[in-house]
Amino acid sequence: MLDLFAGEHPWQEPLAPGAVVLRRLALAPADQLLHGIAQVVNQSPLRHMVTPGGYTMSVAMTNCGKLGWTTDQRGYLYSPVDPLTQQPWPPMPAAFSALCQQASEAAGYPDFRPDACLINRYVPGAKLSLHQDKDEPDLRAPIVSVSLGLPAVFQFGGLKRSDPLQRLMLEHGDVVVWGGESRLFYHGIAPLKGGHHPATGECRYNLTFRQAGNSEQK
């Protein structure tokens, strides 16, 4: 089923109030996005962060933009400096910003101006447990999440961890945007299954755009 509809124009699938799946929206710029990932990783390498509880995350991460998400013994935070290199995070590639703007407008959030992009790399077996994105100061701004490479099962729940989950297969070029009523819904990625994708090999990349600084939105 991988990329069965690769020749189709992008289409939308409603997910929840304020949330939508934009199928194949990132397919056309995928090569530029992967080139941008390589540029960022060359400056701020991927790493497996350790949570405050001492758990080493199975997903390898890095960031670009004015702020980057990170974690240490004190908790989760956004920092303008990469703690690994002690340098500012790399700037957000132009292809990233262009796609994010296109996706946010298509989803009904035309004023979204992200200042942080988290880059996740999944290998077979890697996962992201159910969580809420709540470390940002202004929760009016949505989340834009881009899938590249191997397919993954995206889990999308509700405001409580115990709420029923929707399970969606996300493939190369798919984009999910959620905000408004769905902004604090729990979500995660099930353990990645093995495989090979011609664009990324034996892994999946995810770009997660957020507004992590103080909002100028009204």
Side-chain angles (χ1 to χ4, degrees), residues 21-91:
V21 184
L22 306 172
R23 296 288 187 184
R24 310 302 192 267
L25 187 70
L27 200 57
D31 288 346
Q32 295 179 348
L33 298 174
L34 290 169
H35 180 68
I37 290 172
Q39 290 180 312
V40 171
V41 170
N42 187 54
Q43 298 179 59
S44 284
L46 291 158
R47 77 291 307 261
H48 293 273
M49 298 184 185
V50 179
T51 69
Y55 170 74
T56 300
M57 302 181 72
S58 61
V59 178
M61 300 179 173
T62 189
N63 295 272
C64 60
K66 293 181 179 179
L67 296 170
W69 184 88
T70 186
T71 179
D72 59 23
Q73 294 179 346
R74 296 170 294 175
Y76 306 109
L77 66 149
Y78 283 98
S79 170
V81 174
D82 180 349
L84 187 64
T85 66
Q86 294 300 311
Q87 298 294 320
W89 295 103

Side-chain angles (χ1 to χ4, degrees), residues 13-212:
E13 297 175 4
L15 179 58
V20 65
V21 184
L22 306 172
R23 296 288 187 184
R24 310 302 192 267
L25 187 70
L27 200 57
D31 288 346
Q32 295 179 348
L33 298 174
L34 290 169
H35 180 68
I37 290 172
Q39 290 180 312
V40 171
V41 170
N42 187 54
Q43 298 179 59
S44 284
L46 291 158
R47 77 291 307 261
H48 293 273
M49 298 184 185
V50 179
T51 69
Y55 170 74
T56 300
M57 302 181 72
S58 61
V59 178
M61 300 179 173
T62 189
N63 295 272
C64 60
K66 293 181 179 179
L67 296 170
W69 184 88
T70 186
T71 179
D72 59 23
Q73 294 179 346
R74 296 170 294 175
Y76 306 109
L77 66 149
Y78 283 98
S79 170
V81 174
D82 180 349
L84 187 64
T85 66
Q86 294 300 311
Q87 298 294 320
W89 295 103
M92 202 177 295
F96 285 27
S97 301
L99 174 65
C100 184
Q101 182 177 358
Q102 182 184 7
S104 59
E105 289 180 354
Y109 301 98
D111 297 325
F112 180 46
R113 297 293 182 267
D115 53 15
C117 178
L118 176 64
I119 300 173
N120 294 329
R121 184 190 66 192
Y122 294 77
V123 297
K127 63 179 182 179
L128 201 59
S129 300
L130 285 177
H131 65 284
Q132 296 170 298
D133 286 349
K134 57 182 181 181
D135 298 320
E136 299 76 35
D138 189 339
L139 298 178
R140 293 174 296 178
I143 303 292
V144 174
S145 177
V146 182
S147 293
L148 298 167
L150 287 178
V153 175
F154 178 62
Q155 302 170 321
F156 197 71
L159 290 173
K160 296 185 294 184
R161 188 183 295 273
S162 59
D163 284 342
L165 293 175
Q166 298 184 65
R167 293 176 173 86
L168 310 172
M169 180 65 75
L170 296 180
E171 295 186 322
H172 183 59
D174 289 344
V175 182
V176 184
V177 183
W178 66 95
E181 294 182 46
S182 303
R183 177 61 176 77
L184 288 177
F185 278 17
Y186 277 89
H187 57 280
I189 293 289
L192 190 73
K193 292 185 177 181
H196 182 274
H197 192 280
T200 64
E202 298 179 354
C203 70
R204 169 186 185 259
Y205 287 100
N206 169 256
L207 307 176
T208 301
F209 296 92
R210 301 176 178 134
Q211 184 178 288

